[in-house]
Every structure is written in C-alpha cells, then in structure tokens.
PDB file of all heavy atoms in Angstrom:
ATOM      1  N   SER A   1      -8.008  27.474  -9.172  1.00 98.00           N
ATOM      2  CA  SER A   1      -6.882  26.582  -9.481  1.00 98.00           C
ATOM      3  C   SER A   1      -6.393  25.880  -8.217  1.00 98.00           C
ATOM      4  O   SER A   1      -6.017  24.705  -8.256  1.00 98.00           O
ATOM      5  CB  SER A   1      -5.746  27.365 -10.142  1.00 98.00           C
ATOM      6  OG  SER A   1      -5.195  28.336  -9.271  1.00 98.00           O
ATOM      7  N   THR A   2      -6.412  26.583  -7.101  1.00 98.00           N
ATOM      8  CA  THR A   2      -6.011  25.968  -5.835  1.00 98.00           C
ATOM      9  C   THR A   2      -6.947  24.825  -5.475  1.00 98.00           C
ATOM     10  O   THR A   2      -6.512  23.752  -5.040  1.00 98.00           O
ATOM     11  CB  THR A   2      -6.003  27.018  -4.712  1.00 98.00           C
ATOM     12  OG1 THR A   2      -5.048  28.041  -5.031  1.00 98.00           O
ATOM     13  CG2 THR A   2      -5.643  26.395  -3.374  1.00 98.00           C
ATOM     14  N   ALA A   3      -8.251  25.039  -5.672  1.00 98.00           N
ATOM     15  CA  ALA A   3      -9.232  23.992  -5.375  1.00 98.00           C
ATOM     16  C   ALA A   3      -9.023  22.775  -6.274  1.00 98.00           C
ATOM     17  O   ALA A   3      -9.111  21.628  -5.810  1.00 98.00           O
ATOM     18  CB  ALA A   3     -10.646  24.547  -5.556  1.00 98.00           C
ATOM     19  N   ALA A   4      -8.741  22.992  -7.545  1.00 98.00           N
ATOM     20  CA  ALA A   4      -8.529  21.881  -8.471  1.00 98.00           C
ATOM     21  C   ALA A   4      -7.287  21.081  -8.085  1.00 98.00           C
ATOM     22  O   ALA A   4      -7.268  19.839  -8.174  1.00 98.00           O
ATOM     23  CB  ALA A   4      -8.395  22.409  -9.898  1.00 98.00           C
ATOM     24  N   LYS A   5      -6.247  21.771  -7.643  1.00 98.00           N
ATOM     25  CA  LYS A   5      -5.026  21.080  -7.216  1.00 98.00           C
ATOM     26  C   LYS A   5      -5.260  20.335  -5.905  1.00 98.00           C
ATOM     27  O   LYS A   5      -4.731  19.229  -5.704  1.00 98.00           O
ATOM     28  CB  LYS A   5      -3.880  22.087  -7.088  1.00 98.00           C
ATOM     29  CG  LYS A   5      -3.461  22.668  -8.430  1.00 98.00           C
ATOM     30  CD  LYS A   5      -2.506  23.837  -8.257  1.00 98.00           C
ATOM     31  CE  LYS A   5      -2.210  24.482  -9.610  1.00 98.00           C
ATOM     32  NZ  LYS A   5      -1.317  25.655  -9.475  1.00 98.00           N
ATOM     33  N   ALA A   6      -6.048  20.933  -5.015  1.00 98.00           N
ATOM     34  CA  ALA A   6      -6.377  20.250  -3.762  1.00 98.00           C
ATOM     35  C   ALA A   6      -7.115  18.949  -4.039  1.00 98.00           C
ATOM     36  O   ALA A   6      -6.881  17.929  -3.382  1.00 98.00           O
ATOM     37  CB  ALA A   6      -7.214  21.169  -2.874  1.00 98.00           C
ATOM     38  N   LYS A   7      -8.007  18.982  -5.000  1.00 98.00           N
ATOM     39  CA  LYS A   7      -8.741  17.775  -5.386  1.00 98.00           C
ATOM     40  C   LYS A   7      -7.773  16.702  -5.880  1.00 98.00           C
ATOM     41  O   LYS A   7      -7.932  15.503  -5.565  1.00 98.00           O
ATOM     42  CB  LYS A   7      -9.766  18.118  -6.468  1.00 98.00           C
ATOM     43  CG  LYS A   7     -10.655  16.955  -6.868  1.00 98.00           C
ATOM     44  CD  LYS A   7     -11.710  17.413  -7.864  1.00 98.00           C
ATOM     45  CE  LYS A   7     -12.640  16.259  -8.249  1.00 98.00           C
ATOM     46  NZ  LYS A   7     -13.682  16.709  -9.214  1.00 98.00           N
ATOM     47  N   ALA A   8      -6.757  17.107  -6.640  1.00 98.00           N
ATOM     48  CA  ALA A   8      -5.761  16.158  -7.141  1.00 98.00           C
ATOM     49  C   ALA A   8      -4.932  15.576  -6.006  1.00 98.00           C
ATOM     50  O   ALA A   8      -4.590  14.392  -6.005  1.00 98.00           O
ATOM     51  CB  ALA A   8      -4.857  16.847  -8.160  1.00 98.00           C
ATOM     52  N   VAL A   9      -4.609  16.397  -5.028  1.00 98.00           N
ATOM     53  CA  VAL A   9      -3.844  15.938  -3.864  1.00 98.00           C
ATOM     54  C   VAL A   9      -4.627  14.878  -3.100  1.00 98.00           C
ATOM     55  O   VAL A   9      -4.110  13.807  -2.754  1.00 98.00           O
ATOM     56  CB  VAL A   9      -3.499  17.133  -2.946  1.00 98.00           C
ATOM     57  CG1 VAL A   9      -2.974  16.654  -1.595  1.00 98.00           C
ATOM     58  CG2 VAL A   9      -2.469  18.039  -3.613  1.00 98.00           C
ATOM     59  N   VAL A  10      -5.896  15.155  -2.842  1.00 98.00           N
ATOM     60  CA  VAL A  10      -6.748  14.198  -2.132  1.00 98.00           C
ATOM     61  C   VAL A  10      -6.926  12.929  -2.947  1.00 98.00           C
ATOM     62  O   VAL A  10      -6.887  11.812  -2.405  1.00 98.00           O
ATOM     63  CB  VAL A  10      -8.110  14.853  -1.814  1.00 98.00           C
ATOM     64  CG1 VAL A  10      -9.106  13.817  -1.304  1.00 98.00           C
ATOM     65  CG2 VAL A  10      -7.933  15.976  -0.809  1.00 98.00           C
ATOM     66  N   ARG A  11      -7.106  13.077  -4.235  1.00 98.00           N
ATOM     67  CA  ARG A  11      -7.273  11.913  -5.117  1.00 98.00           C
ATOM     68  C   ARG A  11      -6.080  10.968  -5.027  1.00 98.00           C
ATOM     69  O   ARG A  11      -6.216   9.739  -5.165  1.00 98.00           O
ATOM     70  CB  ARG A  11      -7.447  12.403  -6.556  1.00 98.00           C
ATOM     71  CG  ARG A  11      -7.654  11.307  -7.587  1.00 98.00           C
ATOM     72  CD  ARG A  11      -7.923  11.874  -8.960  1.00 98.00           C
ATOM     73  NE  ARG A  11      -6.749  12.525  -9.541  1.00 98.00           N
ATOM     74  CZ  ARG A  11      -6.715  13.812  -9.902  1.00 98.00           C
ATOM     75  NH1 ARG A  11      -7.766  14.586  -9.735  1.00 98.00           N
ATOM     76  NH2 ARG A  11      -5.619  14.329 -10.428  1.00 98.00           N
ATOM     77  N   ASN A  12      -4.919  11.516  -4.739  1.00 98.00           N
ATOM     78  CA  ASN A  12      -3.702  10.722  -4.654  1.00 98.00           C
ATOM     79  C   ASN A  12      -3.316  10.347  -3.223  1.00 98.00           C
ATOM     80  O   ASN A  12      -2.196   9.901  -2.972  1.00 98.00           O
ATOM     81  CB  ASN A  12      -2.552  11.468  -5.337  1.00 98.00           C
ATOM     82  CG  ASN A  12      -2.622  11.381  -6.851  1.00 98.00           C
ATOM     83  OD1 ASN A  12      -2.263  10.366  -7.427  1.00 98.00           O
ATOM     84  ND2 ASN A  12      -3.107  12.437  -7.487  1.00 98.00           N
ATOM     85  N   GLY A  13      -4.253  10.527  -2.298  1.00 98.00           N
ATOM     86  CA  GLY A  13      -4.030  10.036  -0.951  1.00 98.00           C
ATOM     87  C   GLY A  13      -3.119  10.879  -0.089  1.00 98.00           C
ATOM     88  O   GLY A  13      -2.548  10.381   0.890  1.00 98.00           O
ATOM     89  N   MET A  14      -2.996  12.162  -0.421  1.00 98.00           N
ATOM     90  CA  MET A  14      -2.181  13.074   0.385  1.00 98.00           C
ATOM     91  C   MET A  14      -3.080  14.124   1.024  1.00 98.00           C
ATOM     92  O   MET A  14      -4.267  14.233   0.702  1.00 98.00           O
ATOM     93  CB  MET A  14      -1.105  13.735  -0.479  1.00 98.00           C
ATOM     94  CG  MET A  14      -0.115  12.758  -1.096  1.00 98.00           C
ATOM     95  SD  MET A  14       1.091  13.536  -2.214  1.00 98.00           S
ATOM     96  CE  MET A  14       0.038  13.958  -3.623  1.00 98.00           C
ATOM     97  N   VAL A  15      -2.514  14.895   1.936  1.00 98.00           N
ATOM     98  CA  VAL A  15      -3.277  15.916   2.641  1.00 98.00           C
ATOM     99  C   VAL A  15      -2.977  17.292   2.031  1.00 98.00           C
ATOM    100  O   VAL A  15      -1.812  17.684   1.947  1.00 98.00           O
ATOM    101  CB  VAL A  15      -2.919  15.944   4.142  1.00 98.00           C
ATOM    102  CG1 VAL A  15      -3.659  17.076   4.852  1.00 98.00           C
ATOM    103  CG2 VAL A  15      -3.246  14.615   4.793  1.00 98.00           C
ATOM    104  N   PRO A  16      -3.997  18.033   1.619  1.00 98.00           N
ATOM    105  CA  PRO A  16      -3.750  19.394   1.136  1.00 98.00           C
ATOM    106  C   PRO A  16      -3.594  20.370   2.294  1.00 98.00           C
ATOM    107  O   PRO A  16      -4.407  20.368   3.223  1.00 98.00           O
ATOM    108  CB  PRO A  16      -5.010  19.709   0.313  1.00 98.00           C
ATOM    109  CG  PRO A  16      -6.079  18.852   0.916  1.00 98.00           C
ATOM    110  CD  PRO A  16      -5.404  17.628   1.456  1.00 98.00           C
ATOM    111  N   LEU A  17      -2.546  21.146   2.243  1.00 98.00           N
ATOM    112  CA  LEU A  17      -2.294  22.226   3.202  1.00 98.00           C
ATOM    113  C   LEU A  17      -2.598  23.523   2.471  1.00 98.00           C
ATOM    114  O   LEU A  17      -1.817  23.971   1.627  1.00 98.00           O
ATOM    115  CB  LEU A  17      -0.850  22.194   3.683  1.00 98.00           C
ATOM    116  CG  LEU A  17      -0.343  23.368   4.513  1.00 98.00           C
ATOM    117  CD1 LEU A  17      -1.055  23.432   5.858  1.00 98.00           C
ATOM    118  CD2 LEU A  17       1.154  23.284   4.717  1.00 98.00           C
ATOM    119  N   ILE A  18      -3.751  24.100   2.738  1.00 98.00           N
ATOM    120  CA  ILE A  18      -4.245  25.228   1.957  1.00 98.00           C
ATOM    121  C   ILE A  18      -3.962  26.543   2.677  1.00 98.00           C
ATOM    122  O   ILE A  18      -4.433  26.766   3.794  1.00 98.00           O
ATOM    123  CB  ILE A  18      -5.764  25.105   1.708  1.00 98.00           C
ATOM    124  CG1 ILE A  18      -6.113  23.718   1.161  1.00 98.00           C
ATOM    125  CG2 ILE A  18      -6.227  26.208   0.770  1.00 98.00           C
ATOM    126  CD1 ILE A  18      -5.460  23.382  -0.150  1.00 98.00           C
ATOM    127  N   CYS A  19      -3.201  27.401   2.015  1.00 97.00           N
ATOM    128  CA  CYS A  19      -2.903  28.713   2.580  1.00 97.00           C
ATOM    129  C   CYS A  19      -4.061  29.657   2.264  1.00 97.00           C
ATOM    130  O   CYS A  19      -4.456  29.804   1.108  1.00 97.00           O
ATOM    131  CB  CYS A  19      -1.610  29.267   2.002  1.00 97.00           C
ATOM    132  SG  CYS A  19      -0.165  28.233   2.353  1.00 97.00           S
ATOM    133  N   VAL A  20      -4.590  30.275   3.296  1.00 97.00           N
ATOM    134  CA  VAL A  20      -5.692  31.223   3.135  1.00 97.00           C
ATOM    135  C   VAL A  20      -5.376  32.475   3.934  1.00 97.00           C
ATOM    136  O   VAL A  20      -4.673  32.423   4.941  1.00 97.00           O
ATOM    137  CB  VAL A  20      -7.039  30.625   3.607  1.00 97.00           C
ATOM    138  CG1 VAL A  20      -7.422  29.411   2.767  1.00 97.00           C
ATOM    139  CG2 VAL A  20      -6.989  30.229   5.086  1.00 97.00           C
ATOM    140  N   GLY A  21      -5.903  33.604   3.486  1.00 95.00           N
ATOM    141  CA  GLY A  21      -5.669  34.828   4.243  1.00 95.00           C
ATOM    142  C   GLY A  21      -6.095  36.054   3.476  1.00 95.00           C
ATOM    143  O   GLY A  21      -6.080  36.074   2.241  1.00 95.00           O
ATOM    144  N   GLU A  22      -6.470  37.077   4.224  1.00 95.00           N
ATOM    145  CA  GLU A  22      -6.900  38.326   3.620  1.00 95.00           C
ATOM    146  C   GLU A  22      -5.689  39.160   3.208  1.00 95.00           C
ATOM    147  O   GLU A  22      -4.624  39.077   3.820  1.00 95.00           O
ATOM    148  CB  GLU A  22      -7.786  39.116   4.592  1.00 95.00           C
ATOM    149  CG  GLU A  22      -7.078  39.755   5.767  1.00 95.00           C
ATOM    150  CD  GLU A  22      -6.723  38.790   6.893  1.00 95.00           C
ATOM    151  OE1 GLU A  22      -6.923  37.567   6.720  1.00 95.00           O
ATOM    152  OE2 GLU A  22      -6.234  39.262   7.940  1.00 95.00           O
ATOM    153  N   VAL A  23      -5.868  39.961   2.150  1.00 91.00           N
ATOM    154  CA  VAL A  23      -4.762  40.747   1.606  1.00 91.00           C
ATOM    155  C   VAL A  23      -4.464  41.960   2.482  1.00 91.00           C
ATOM    156  O   VAL A  23      -3.303  42.242   2.802  1.00 91.00           O
ATOM    157  CB  VAL A  23      -5.075  41.194   0.161  1.00 91.00           C
ATOM    158  CG1 VAL A  23      -3.978  42.125  -0.355  1.00 91.00           C
ATOM    159  CG2 VAL A  23      -5.225  39.974  -0.746  1.00 91.00           C
ATOM    160  N   MET A  24      -5.496  42.671   2.878  1.00 90.00           N
ATOM    161  CA  MET A  24      -5.321  43.905   3.647  1.00 90.00           C
ATOM    162  C   MET A  24      -5.822  43.710   5.076  1.00 90.00           C
ATOM    163  O   MET A  24      -6.807  43.009   5.311  1.00 90.00           O
ATOM    164  CB  MET A  24      -6.089  45.057   2.996  1.00 90.00           C
ATOM    165  CG  MET A  24      -5.685  45.334   1.561  1.00 90.00           C
ATOM    166  SD  MET A  24      -3.983  45.916   1.407  1.00 90.00           S
ATOM    167  CE  MET A  24      -4.126  47.528   2.222  1.00 90.00           C
ATOM    168  N   LYS A  25      -5.155  44.355   6.008  1.00 87.00           N
ATOM    169  CA  LYS A  25      -5.600  44.290   7.395  1.00 87.00           C
ATOM    170  C   LYS A  25      -6.869  45.113   7.560  1.00 87.00           C
ATOM    171  O   LYS A  25      -6.978  46.227   7.059  1.00 87.00           O
ATOM    172  CB  LYS A  25      -4.521  44.830   8.331  1.00 87.00           C
ATOM    173  CG  LYS A  25      -4.883  44.713   9.805  1.00 87.00           C
ATOM    174  CD  LYS A  25      -3.757  45.198  10.692  1.00 87.00           C
ATOM    175  CE  LYS A  25      -4.118  45.045  12.169  1.00 87.00           C
ATOM    176  NZ  LYS A  25      -3.031  45.518  13.056  1.00 87.00           N
ATOM    177  N   GLY A  26      -7.838  44.536   8.250  1.00 85.00           N
ATOM    178  CA  GLY A  26      -9.095  45.244   8.483  1.00 85.00           C
ATOM    179  C   GLY A  26      -9.738  44.732   9.747  1.00 85.00           C
ATOM    180  O   GLY A  26      -9.054  44.424  10.723  1.00 85.00           O
ATOM    181  N   GLU A  27     -11.051  44.595   9.719  1.00 93.00           N
ATOM    182  CA  GLU A  27     -11.772  44.055  10.858  1.00 93.00           C
ATOM    183  C   GLU A  27     -11.846  42.532  10.759  1.00 93.00           C
ATOM    184  O   GLU A  27     -11.753  41.961   9.673  1.00 93.00           O
ATOM    185  CB  GLU A  27     -13.192  44.636  10.900  1.00 93.00           C
ATOM    186  CG  GLU A  27     -13.243  46.144  11.051  1.00 93.00           C
ATOM    187  CD  GLU A  27     -12.630  46.614  12.356  1.00 93.00           C
ATOM    188  OE1 GLU A  27     -12.775  45.892  13.377  1.00 93.00           O
ATOM    189  OE2 GLU A  27     -12.005  47.687  12.367  1.00 93.00           O
TER     190      GLU A  27
END
C-alpha cells in the first residue's frame, strides 16, 4: 500500500518521503 501511494505522489509531481526501518534491533 505504501508503494501504491508513493506512485500516486510521484504521478502528481510531489516527492515521496518513505519511512523505512526494522522492527527489532539486531545486526
């Protein structure tokens, strides 16, 4: 769903700011 919304943002000439990150601390 995040990817689909990012596509819509780009389609409308805006910049997607995508939050990414792992759930648990590890290596």
Side-chain angles (χ1 to χ4, degrees):
S1 64
T2 299
K5 293 170 185 178
K7 184 176 181 179
V9 168
V10 170
R11 181 176 69 240
N12 283 282
M14 298 176 289
V15 176
L17 171 66
I18 310 299
C19 299
V20 297
E22 72 282 6
V23 175
M24 302 295 293
K25 184 177 181 180
E27 299 297 325

